[in-house]
Structures are given as C-alpha cells and as structure tokens.
Amino acid sequence: MKIRAMWCVLLFFLASAFLSAQGQSDNSLHVSALDWLPVHAMREITSEFEAETGITVTYDILPYGNLRQKQVTEFVAGTGAYDVIHYDLPWIIEYTSYLEPWEGHIDPTELNLDGIVDPILNANQADGVFYGFPVNTDALMLYYRADLFSDPAEKEAFQSAYGYELAPPETWDQFYDVAEFFTRDTNGDGEIDLWGTTLQGGVVDPIWCEWITVFWSWGGEIFNEDGSVSINSEAGVESLEFYTSLMRDGLAPPDSPRYGFDETTAAMQQGRVAMSINWIFAAPLYNDPAVSQVEGNVGYTTVPREVTHASYLGGFGMGVARDSNKKEQAFQYLAWLLHPDQQRKLAELGSVIPRETLLTDPALNAQYPFYEFALPVVQSARPAPRMLDYARVAEIVAVAASDALTGQASPSEALDRAAQELESVSR
Amino acid sequence: MISNPFRGRIRPGGKQRRRRGPLLYVVTFLTIAIAAIVVYPMVYALYTSALDWRIPMPAVFVGFENYLNAFRDRLLLNSAWITVRFVGYSLVAELLIGFFAAYALFKCPFAVQRVFQLILFLPVVLPPVVVGLVWRLLYSADNGLLNYFLGARHSWLGDPSLVFFSVVLVEVWHWTPLVTLVFLAGLNALPADLFDAASVDGAHEIGILRHIVIPLMEKVIWVVIAIRSIELIKVFDEIYVLTGGGPGRMTEVVSLYNYKLGFVFFEFGYAAAVSWILLIVTLVLVRRILMRMLRSR
C-alpha cells in the first residue's frame, strides 16, 4: 500500500514537471520585457486592450543583464513560453531566426510608418524585412549643472583661468577644461566631493556605449567597408587616450570603472558631478524631487564632438516569437500598442517614442523639456554594429576600454589586443 | 500497543521475511535521480562539446576541435591562471585562519565553543549571491561602509591593485567559518590523554602543535583542502555579482568565462568542451589530494 502510494507521488511529480515544461496553452499572451519605465507604462495601458478583446497579457519583467539570455534560452529550447518579445535593437540580427516577420500579419500603413524616426525604423529590419517595431528610443546626451554653469562667479573664474566663456562644451577639449575646472573640494575637508564628469566605466554595456560614442565622434569605425578591423586606428587610440585621461587626472569619481546607468544617474542626482553623459531616459529622473537633489538645475545638450557629433542609438523594439502558438493575438496586441493613439498615451507616461509628431508636440514638450534635444539627437544617433556576433564585439571593445581606463594597458596596447580578437569574430 | 516496526509482515511462527520493498524503492529513486540529474546532462554536454554549435546556426559535428581550440584560447588560459591564483590565495588564507581560529577555540571551554559554533555558521548558510550583493554595497567607493570606517576613498572593486584582494576577502569571509568548524570538530576528536602526556613531559605549545596536533590532523586537513579546492575552482556567484569579471578581465575566473561563452556568446559547443575540461582537471586534482590523504598515517 505504501509502495503504491509512493509510486503515485513519484508519477505526480514527474507529470507536473513534464507539464510545466510545456508552453502556455491558456488564452493569455506572455510578454518578455525589460524592467524599465516605458515597459511599466505599457503595462499600465494594457488593461484597456484586455477589456476590449478579452485577451489577458502578462509581462515577465527582467533586468537588462538577463533579458537576452532568458529569451534566447527559451527560443533554443523551443518552449514557446513567450509570445511577444521586447528586445534591444542590437540583438535584431540574431533574432531574425526567432521572430516572426511582420509581412502578412500587420498592415504597416495602419501604424503610420512615415512618422517614425529613420535610424530607429531601419534598426528593426533585416534585409528589408520587419521583424519588430520600435517602441521606445534612447540616445546618449550630455547633461550638465545649469545652475553652476550660469553662476556669475563661476563664469568669471573660468574665463580668467581658460580664456573663454563657460558654456556647455562643444568639443572634447572644452569638455576636459570644464571637467578640470569643476573638480574640486567644495566643503573644505580636504577631499574632492565634486567631480567634473561621470564615466560609465562598467563592463560590458555602459563602457561600450559611452566610449564607442567618443570613438565615433573622433571619426573612428570599428570595421572598415571591406570588413577589416580598424578599432586600433589613430582615431581609436586618440579617443581612448582622451577618455582615459579623464579618469587618470582624477576628473571622475574613483569608482567610475564600476559605474553603470544607476550609479551614473545617482551621481548627478546627488550633486556629485558637474556633467554627465547619460541616456535621454535619465532626464525625468534628474527632475524628480523624490530622488534628485538637483531638480530643475540640469541642462542638456548633445555629446561633444572631435570631428563630428555622435551618439549611441539605444531603444527597444517589440516583435512576435516564431514559436508562439498565439501569433495572431500577439500581432493584434502589437498593432494596438503601436497605434499612434496608444503611443501618445505612452509618451505622456514618460516613454520616449520615436515619432516626430510626438517629439515635436507642444504639450509633450512642455511636460518634458528635454524633447527639444531628443529629436535631433536621435536623428543623428548611430545604432550598434548590426551583426550576429554583436555581443562578442561589444565585450571585446568594452574589455579593451576598461583595461585602458584602469591603467592595466596603454590605449594602443588594449586596442591592438582588441583588434586581434575582433579578427576572429564573424562579420 | 507497541508500534510494530514490521507492520504485520512477520509470518506467525516463520522466519521474518527480509524487507526488500524499501531497498528496491530507494534504489529506483536514486537511479532515476542520478540518471536524470547527473548522467544525462553530462553525456549531453559531452555530445555538445563535439559540435560547433553557435546558435542560431545549426550544429556541425567537429569531434575534438573544441578541445584543441581550448588549448590555444588565450582568454581561457588567462582565466585559468586567474583561477589558479584565486584558489591559491583563498585556500592558504582559509586554511591558516581556519586552523588557528579552530585551535584557539579548542582551548576555550565548551560553552564558549558552542556559542562560536553558532556565530560561525551564519556566513556559511548565506547564499553566495546574497554575500556578493552585500559585499558589493560594503565595497562601494561612494557610500560603502568599508570606506566609511576606514576613512578612505578606495575603489575596492574598480582599482586593479585592490580588486583581487577584495574578491578573495569575500570568499575567505564566506567559507573560513566552515573550515574552522571542521577543524574544531577534528581537534575535539583527538585523544585527550596525548595532551596530558605532552604537558607532563614539559612540551610547550609550539611543540605540541608541530609534533602532535598537526600530524594527527593530517587527514582532516587534506579532506578540507580537497573540499575547498573543488568549491574554489568552481566559484561563480560571488564574483559574478561583485565584479562580473572586471575590471577588464582581472577577475574573470574559468567558470565566469565559461558562462560568457555559453550565455552571452551562445557558443554552446565550445562552452560544453570547457566545462568538460574543467571537470577533468578538477577530478585529477582531487584524486591526487585524496591519494595523498590516504597515504598519510
């Protein structure tokens, strides 16, 4: 009797293990998405969709470091666990194998494609086929303490020290001067407590995005037209030397090699830095009195240039998983979500939508003053290299930049090593 | 009524039947468990290691190529060297601190030992991820407690000259208490009359340690070395949370590199091969340690 009972228990566990490993067969859509304000905004308005159609939508939220892993693991295992995928634009080439093309499911004219900012639109396609649609956009901007910059005493001191007027830096040389000027001990205790700038030195994504922007602004390219590696070109070495000099000369907080988005944002919020290169998305966070001590005192401008202005184009898209068994409902949800009406609601909730009409809308501009710069920055921003092995390229470059930043290798050594490693990455 | 352990299976007047039921049941469960949890993944990993499988591309059979590439992989060799250093420093620190802490406790009355045993268990039962996260906060250059109490500004996890020490410190903090507890148990099991005889003969502390305690504890020491080596070679959670392998690749131990291969670059074939290499290396090392242990008196 006991043995029989035990066998039943064993069978029960095996059965439940087996069943739970199957894809979801209920009438709800499962979305895999980033833990991010724009996503929370989407969740908020989704209740209207659920009410209209009777389809429930559940969001599986993950932090950035785990998102791609989880999604790809589910794809490879073929579980069909997710129907809708929220993805970072650089992953699109890899995801062409996992996402369902939009042709035949959605009529793009309904979504008013013309209003979408070009670089973002292109970033969601591969070989002219749409695999996803842009839901938010982001790019790097230069933030600065407008109160410090407009203070007459500061202006005078800067003018006499450097010979030109204090203003948000246009070139990297000016950026260095301003950073040097503002790095100081403000309360006389012998310790520096205000730094000129933050440096997003964390490996992989923070330093990858930030330094590659500097590199691009020097006119550098990771790969030449013919596919050969040119990360260790003169532009590469010079831009990395400049970037490293900011850390070496003490113009950034000592923990910068560990800084990611959170730490960088906190540094400005706590009034510890005079300038900060950060994402458009940080703007509302600087002006939220609940978390920011510098509310109302933060100005924005484009990232300085050496040869040209550059910015790393961030942003996410959404697509339907190829192994989903609820594709039609999934496309129905996306068509609803990406309709201009819903996009306006999302914009009002804080999501930066890559539509010209919204970015130039007067009401939204009044609510979000940084929109003034968001449109030109996004229009001139560059996406990450579109290739299958994007993750490896980012890691190699990030490690090289980090090695140089922490003084473990000279910029030219680090970049030569990176070039060597990049040779073996498939393009 | 006295509870009947044979539950009525005793035949009246006959020999008691041997209970085969429970044994069969246990063996079945264990076989299924081991086959599913241990053997199947290992065999599948071995099969995968013979493939060039970078998803989403289809897998291609390549035999030993992944293993050959491993020996030429500069990054793998780099992570192996980092792992060797990490294991070396951590093991030496844990053994020294653990042994002397255990010896000091051994000299204390039992009540004191009991109290410390309780305290020492606390770090050990914490999940590695929690330990990593807490120490990451402590190490923060901007608002970390460590800098606060030291009145310093060090970037414990960002400064190349400090990060290795910082990571080893966390590992030692986490596991030395376990080493201490094991050594304490070993010391308490030593025959008391040896110590009495030694003190009667006028031996001093160092002599007792050198000639009595350590030789008698040799087996225990080797077992601790074996167990800790295995864990240190595999270390992942704390380092992943503390540094993610950085700055640069300074703390990229083998398991971290393997993780990147498998779950960032999605090169499953090569990652499986690296896993198998790690397994074989660990097995060889532990076998040698255990052979040493068995040879000691």
Side-chain angles (χ1 to χ4, degrees):
Chain A
M1 185 53 220
K2 279 243 157 134
I3 301 294
R4 215 174 303 161
M6 288 304 181
W7 277 110
C8 288
V9 170
L10 172 65
L11 275 171
F12 169 76
F13 279 119
L14 285 175
S16 57
F18 179 71
L19 283 175
S20 63
Q22 299 300 311
Q24 312 295 336
S25 54
D26 50 310
N27 187 32
S28 74
L29 289 176
H30 292 262
V31 184
S32 166
L34 177 68
D35 186 7
W36 204 21
L37 185 144
V39 172
H40 298 308
M42 285 194 267
R43 281 168 99 179
E44 218 178 292
I45 68 170
T46 294
S47 47
E48 294 170 31
F49 175 80
E50 290 176 322
E52 274 173 34
T53 60
I55 303 172
T56 35
V57 182
T58 23
Y59 273 73
D60 185 7
I61 306 281
L62 283 173
Y64 186 81
N66 305 101
L67 190 64
R68 171 172 164 258
Q69 248 169 53
K70 185 71 163 51
Q71 290 171 352
V72 176
T73 314
E74 296 289 346
F75 293 147
V76 172
T79 57
Y82 296 127
D83 307 295
V84 177
I85 304 290
H86 186 230
Y87 60 86
D88 197 7
L89 294 179
W91 310 341
I92 190 71
I93 304 294
E94 190 181 23
Y95 278 26
T96 53
S97 308
Y98 308 126
L99 296 178
E100 179 76 11
W102 283 51
E103 269 65 38
H105 294 281
I106 292 200
D107 178 7
T109 56
E110 278 185 43
L111 300 170
N112 189 11
L113 282 183
D114 289 340
I116 305 279
V117 177
D118 272 340
I120 289 266
L121 200 60
N122 297 335
N124 280 280
Q125 299 173 58
D127 301 322
V129 177
F130 271 105
Y131 289 90
F133 205 80
V135 289
N136 359 75
T137 190
D138 213 346
L140 287 176
M141 295 214 293
L142 176 65
Y143 294 90
Y144 61 92
R145 287 283 300 281
D147 56 335
L148 294 176
F149 275 64
S150 57
D151 182 298
E154 302 285 0
K155 287 175 93 96
E156 211 184 297
F158 188 84
Q159 175 83 45
S160 50
Y162 295 95
Y164 61 92
E165 197 186 332
L166 176 63
E170 169 75 13
T171 67
W172 287 114
D173 285 331
Q174 291 171 356
F175 182 86
Y176 187 94
D177 287 342
V178 174
E180 188 183 51
F181 176 69
F182 278 113
T183 301
R184 54 175 78 147
D185 168 22
T186 59
N187 57 6
D189 63 352
E191 299 268 350
I192 295 183
D193 37 56
L194 180 71
W195 286 273
T197 178
T198 53
L199 286 175
Q200 296 207 36
V203 178
V204 168
D205 292 285
I207 198 172
W208 154 252
C209 296
E210 190 174 65
W211 179 67
I212 217 70
T213 299
V214 180
F215 175 61
W216 282 338
S217 77
W218 236 271
E221 293 293 335
I222 305 176
F223 298 107
N224 288 322
E225 292 283 335
D226 58 2
S228 60
V229 179
S230 65
I231 189 100
N232 52 346
S233 61
E234 217 178 288
V237 177
E238 276 179 29
S239 58
L240 191 53
E241 259 173 25
F242 171 77
Y243 190 70
T244 312
S245 70
L246 295 167
M247 185 75 207
R248 186 192 62 223
D249 299 342
L251 308 183
D255 231 6
S256 294
R258 309 264 313 132
Y259 271 27
F261 174 75
D262 293 327
E263 293 86 352
T264 308
T265 310
M268 181 61 106
Q269 286 172 329
Q270 292 164 12
R272 281 188 280 123
V273 290
M275 296 185 289
S276 183
I277 295 175
N278 208 348
W279 300 95
I280 293 176
F281 174 60
L285 297 175
Y286 291 144
N287 285 323
D288 179 357
V291 292
S292 174
Q293 295 172 11
V294 297
E295 170 215 355
N297 288 327
V298 178
Y300 355 82
T301 184
T302 50
V303 175
R305 64 168 170 83
E306 182 67 13
V307 169
T308 175
H309 280 295
S311 181
Y312 189 97
L313 181 72
F316 274 64
M318 266 173 123
V320 175
R322 205 173 284 194
D323 53 13
S324 158
N325 53 11
K326 278 168 257 134
K327 291 208 217 354
E328 287 317 311
Q329 290 101 311
F331 276 111
Q332 191 182 350
Y333 177 59
L334 283 180
W336 178 85
L337 196 64
L338 297 164
H339 192 272
D341 292 345
Q342 268 67 257
Q343 299 254 285
R344 167 166 283 273
K345 285 189 211 145
L346 291 170
E348 283 162 9
L349 286 170
S351 186
V352 182
I353 308 289
R355 278 188 182 277
E356 258 189 72
T357 42
L358 291 174
L359 289 173
T360 51
D361 179 273
L364 285 170
N365 267 277
Q367 189 181 3
Y368 300 113
F370 62 86
Y371 270 28
E372 181 198 341
F373 274 102
L375 182 58
V377 167
V378 170
Q379 276 172 333
S380 59
R382 291 179 55 162
R386 287 159 58 79
M387 45 198 296
L388 183 64
D389 269 338
Y390 153 77
R392 223 202 230 273
V393 170
E395 200 251 3
I396 292 171
V397 173
V399 167
S402 174
D403 279 341
L405 189 71
T406 52
Q408 291 177 74
S410 75
S412 56
E413 275 169 17
L415 289 176
D416 283 338
R417 211 181 304 156
Q420 225 179 1
E421 289 171 29
L422 285 171
E423 291 290 342
S424 56
V425 173
S426 59
R427 332 246 198 287
Chain B
M1 194 176 118
I2 306 168
S3 77
N4 180 354
F6 293 104
R7 308 266 193 279
R9 279 177 198 246
I10 301 177
R11 293 220 186 95
K15 267 198 295 201
Q16 291 164 17
R17 226 170 67 179
R18 270 195 69 170
R19 293 192 72 214
R20 288 211 182 79
L23 186 63
L24 185 63
Y25 157 69
V26 165
V27 166
T28 314
F29 256 120
L30 277 182
T31 312
I32 296 177
I34 292 179
I37 296 168
V38 179
V39 174
Y40 175 67
M42 280 177 68
V43 170
Y44 187 73
L46 191 62
Y47 166 65
T48 307
S49 71
L51 306 171
D52 177 8
W53 190 21
R54 194 275 186 234
I55 49 139
M57 328 259 254
V60 174
F61 185 82
V62 290
F64 282 117
E65 203 177 295
N66 285 326
Y67 291 93
L68 294 175
N69 286 338
F71 291 106
R72 285 184 289 219
D73 184 354
R74 190 185 68 82
L75 297 179
L76 181 62
L77 296 173
N78 177 59
S79 64
W81 176 232
I82 291 172
T83 310
V84 165
R85 284 169 55 219
F86 178 78
V87 173
Y89 295 150
S90 303
L91 198 58
V92 168
E94 286 176 23
L95 286 173
L96 287 177
I97 300 174
F99 188 84
F100 287 108
Y103 197 65
L105 274 178
F106 175 59
K107 297 289 188 176
C108 297
F110 265 117
V112 176
Q113 288 188 24
R114 282 281 138 74
V115 169
F116 271 93
Q117 277 173 346
L118 216 70
I119 298 175
L120 286 175
F121 238 91
L122 291 177
V124 169
V125 299
L126 288 174
V129 173
V130 170
V131 170
L133 284 173
V134 170
W135 274 94
R136 191 176 151 144
L137 290 173
L138 289 174
Y139 278 143
S140 165
D142 306 318
N143 3 63
L145 280 181
L146 202 59
N147 274 342
Y148 179 74
F149 283 120
L150 293 176
R153 264 292 181 66
H154 300 303
S155 175
W156 297 97
L157 297 174
D159 184 340
S161 60
L162 290 175
V163 66
F164 212 79
F165 164 76
S166 307
V167 168
V168 168
L169 179 65
V170 174
E171 184 68 24
V172 167
W173 177 89
H174 194 187
W175 293 109
T176 304
L178 183 66
V179 172
T180 308
L181 288 171
V182 172
F183 280 149
L184 185 59
L187 287 169
N188 277 324
L190 293 177
D193 39 342
L194 278 175
F195 291 93
D196 300 335
S199 60
V200 162
D201 287 348
H204 48 263
E205 208 56 58
I206 311 276
I208 294 179
L209 254 181
R210 264 187 70 192
H211 298 290
I212 301 179
V213 176
I214 292 184
L216 284 175
M217 288 283 286
E218 214 183 312
K219 268 197 166 44
V220 177
I221 295 176
W222 282 115
V223 167
V224 168
I225 291 178
I227 295 173
R228 287 306 303 147
S229 300
I230 297 173
E231 290 300 314
L232 283 167
I233 290 172
K234 290 193 309 181
V235 72
F236 178 79
D237 304 54
E238 286 105 330
I239 303 192
Y240 178 75
V241 168
L242 282 170
T243 64
R249 291 191 207 282
M250 282 214 74
T251 56
E252 193 175 270
V253 292
V254 176
S255 55
L256 213 70
Y257 178 60
N258 202 8
Y259 163 81
K260 279 189 185 176
L261 284 174
F263 293 103
V264 179
F265 310 142
F266 288 104
E267 288 183 34
F268 284 153
Y270 185 48
V274 171
S275 301
W276 263 95
I277 293 174
L278 189 63
L279 173 67
I280 292 171
V281 166
T282 311
L283 281 174
V284 167
L285 179 70
V286 169
R287 185 175 175 277
R288 301 198 72 191
I289 294 174
L290 291 178
M291 292 274 101
R292 247 336 284 274
M293 177 198 91
L294 289 173
R295 254 184 280 130
S296 66
R297 280 178 287 108

